[in-house]
Amino acid sequence: AQSVTQLGSHVSVSEGALVLLRCNYSSSVPPYLFWYVQYPNQGLQLLLKYTSAATLVKGINGFEAEFKKSETSFHLTKPSAHMSDAAEYFCAVSGTGGYQKVTFGTGTKLQVIP
Amino acid sequence: DTEVTQTPKHLVMGMTNKKSLKCEQHMGHRAMYWYKQKAKKPPELMFVYSYEKLSINESVPSRFSPECPNSSLLNLHLHALQPEDSALYLCASSLRTANKETQYFGPGTRLLVL
């Protein structure tokens, strides 16, 4: 079975500091991995996805993530945090099952301190 | 255009009411999904439609009744709900139900059951 684990339910960074949100996956087959962002009272927006084409994936709003098979990780980073980045971030994995089964992590709430 | 729309944005209903949630996409996607998201939790899959046919029901109570009248529309009919059904209901779509297809989410309907 596939799963993702997000380390840290809450992360606080200062404005302008590096953002690092951690995600480790477990999958019996090469996975597809996603990061979604959810702003308060809104739906989920796709930030980026890994589909095996390249290990470093660039997404929207300056975010990127690196797929590391040896570490089974797909951490999300952004060089400089902005106040508007404050939101809930979900890592998700898809790769097995007879239908489009996406498994979400428990989420990490990012707080940006001015 | 990667937009999924949902109406209404907010809904308050009593336990004896009948209401419906609506979801629409015009991306040519043939797979559509309903998720339920409780506060501070990741989305939980409820139903999957593939080519307008219900393919997955994740053991959802019968007071939730999905309907897919055409390839662009997905409804969720609600009847005799309980207060614990209060949540954000998210619709998503993907090109197909094949593994590893990206899902695009709508903004959700926030439901309060009194």
Side-chain angles (χ1 to χ4, degrees):
Chain A
Q2 61 203 30
S3 65
V4 287
T5 301
Q6 291 184 243
L7 300 176
S9 59
H10 289 80
V11 171
S12 293
V13 299
S14 298
E15 190 175 16
L18 172 71
V19 175
L20 171 60
L21 304 183
R22 299 178 187 274
C23 173
N24 288 90
Y25 71 90
S26 172
S27 178
S28 57
V29 298
Y32 274 26
L33 293 158
F34 307 86
W35 276 100
Y36 285 91
V37 61
Q38 187 173 33
Y39 297 100
N41 300 314
Q42 294 188 27
L44 276 71
Q45 181 181 7
L46 181 68
L47 270 180
L48 51 80
K49 64 179 181 181
Y50 166 74
T51 60
S52 76
T55 56
L56 182 62
V57 183
K58 294 187 183 299
I60 62 171
N61 302 340
F63 284 93
E64 63 181 36
E66 186 173 7
F67 175 75
K68 291 186 176 180
K69 185 177 179 180
S70 60
E71 299 177 6
T72 61
S73 69
F74 190 58
H75 302 329
L76 182 70
T77 61
K78 182 175 181 178
S80 177
H82 192 273
M83 295 298 295
S84 61
D85 295 326
E88 186 91 24
Y89 291 80
F90 291 98
C91 181
V93 62
S94 171
T96 60
Y99 66 97
Q100 173 63 317
K101 176 71 172 178
V102 175
T103 303
F104 288 88
T106 52
T108 297
K109 187 170 185 177
L110 176 65
Q111 180 185 20
V112 182
I113 303 168
Chain B
D1 182 13
T2 56
E3 186 177 28
V4 176
T5 59
Q6 290 186 245
T7 55
K9 290 186 178 180
H10 301 274
L11 179 62
V12 180
M13 61 186 292
M15 290 189 285
T16 58
N17 292 158
K18 286 185 180 181
K19 297 287 184 182
S20 296
L21 310 184
K22 180 181 174 181
C23 172
E24 193 166 2
Q25 57 86 16
H26 296 285
M27 296 180 278
H29 289 177
R30 304 311 298 271
M32 298 185 77
Y33 313 79
W34 279 114
Y35 286 84
K36 173 182 178 180
Q37 186 181 24
K38 301 285 279 185
K40 303 185 187 303
K41 297 289 187 182
E44 299 174 14
L45 183 66
M46 300 174 71
F47 301 104
V48 179
Y49 269 84
S50 178
Y51 291 85
E52 297 90 70
K53 294 192 185 307
L54 181 65
S55 61
I56 297 294
N57 177 338
E58 292 281 308
S59 303
V60 179
S62 59
R63 57 185 184 270
F64 294 92
S65 176
E67 178 197 20
C68 191
N70 61 55
S71 60
S72 299
L73 283 175
L74 183 66
N75 298 320
L76 185 63
H77 303 297
L78 314 173
H79 174 55
L81 295 193
Q82 303 297 311
E84 58 265 28
D85 296 322
S86 299
L88 180 68
Y89 287 84
L90 293 164
C91 174
S93 72
S94 64
L95 188 60
R96 298 164 297 181
T97 52
N99 287 332
K100 307 179 183 182
E101 293 282 354
T102 302
Q103 290 188 15
Y104 295 92
F105 284 81
T109 293
R110 190 162 297 280
L111 173 67
L112 177 62
V113 182
L114 300 176

